[in-house]
Amino acid sequence: MQLTEGGCLCRAVRYGILGDPLSSIVCHCATCRRASAAPTVAWLTVDRGHFHFSCGSPRSFQSSRDVVRRFCEICGTQLTYESARSSNTLDVTTASLDDPDLHPPTMEVWLENKIAWQGSNESLDHYRRDSSEGHEG
Ligand SMILES: [Zn+2]
Ligand SMILES: [Zn+2]
């Protein structure tokens, strides 16, 4: 299987993903927005068994009851999202890949939380909240 690599801005934390992601989304939810201080966050959903940190150990933060987010404690880059409700998968920030063009998003979720001045891509599938398989805020 192909290995896709990525990591944080300061390169203290690096990771690898085996094979293709299960899905690729853009999330407009308020929690992603605050965690990253960005209007949207793009995520790849991958099988947990196909993801590993190859260098460094990120800090974690419980952003809601069932959700843990990991980030580099030195530079602050958001790296992963794990939900207890999706124990077989984990989300990785698409923009932390060495080549974010590898896996373009196919849908936008949580549009009901979209900032008014933030555009959306009409060529993607749109969900007011989470998709059936996707991110849960
Ligand atoms: Zn870093
Ligand atoms: Zn989100």
Side-chain angles (χ1 to χ4, degrees):
M1 267 192 287
Q2 183 173 341
L3 178 68
T4 304
E5 291 180 292
C8 67
L9 175 61
C10 77
R11 300 184 70 85
V13 181
R14 298 284 299 162
Y15 63 78
I17 301 167
L18 275 177
D20 287 328
L22 303 169
S23 64
S24 178
I25 68 165
V26 170
C27 187
H28 291 264
C29 88
T31 316
C32 285
R33 180 164 77 230
R34 288 202 179 278
S36 61
T40 63
V41 180
W43 296 100
L44 301 176
T45 300
V46 302
D47 193 294
R48 285 196 196 192
H50 291 171
F51 176 89
H52 68 281
F53 285 109
S54 50
C55 176
S57 9
R59 286 197 63 158
S60 63
F61 170 68
Q62 187 169 0
S63 59
S64 56
R65 194 167 57 97
D66 293 330
V67 175
V68 169
R69 293 168 188 262
R70 296 185 199 281
F71 58 96
C72 174
E73 67 177 330
I74 300 169
C75 70
T77 301
Q78 299 289 320
L79 294 166
T80 62
Y81 166 107
E82 291 157 65
S83 169
R85 286 170 285 173
S86 308
S87 57
N88 295 325
T89 64
L90 161 152
D91 291 359
V92 187
T93 46
T94 311
S96 67
L97 293 180
D98 293 341
D99 181 2
D101 284 324
L102 278 178
H103 302 295
T106 61
M107 62 179 115
E108 290 184 75
V109 303
W110 285 96
L111 281 154
E112 75 173 21
N113 286 0
K114 185 174 84 59
I115 299 177
W117 50 256
Q118 172 65 28
S120 62
N121 183 340
E122 296 304 324
S123 69
L124 304 182
D125 291 340
H126 282 180
Y127 296 85
R128 280 181 53 77
R129 295 192 172 179
D130 56 327
S131 73
S132 55
E133 57 185 313
H135 194 108
E136 297 141 343

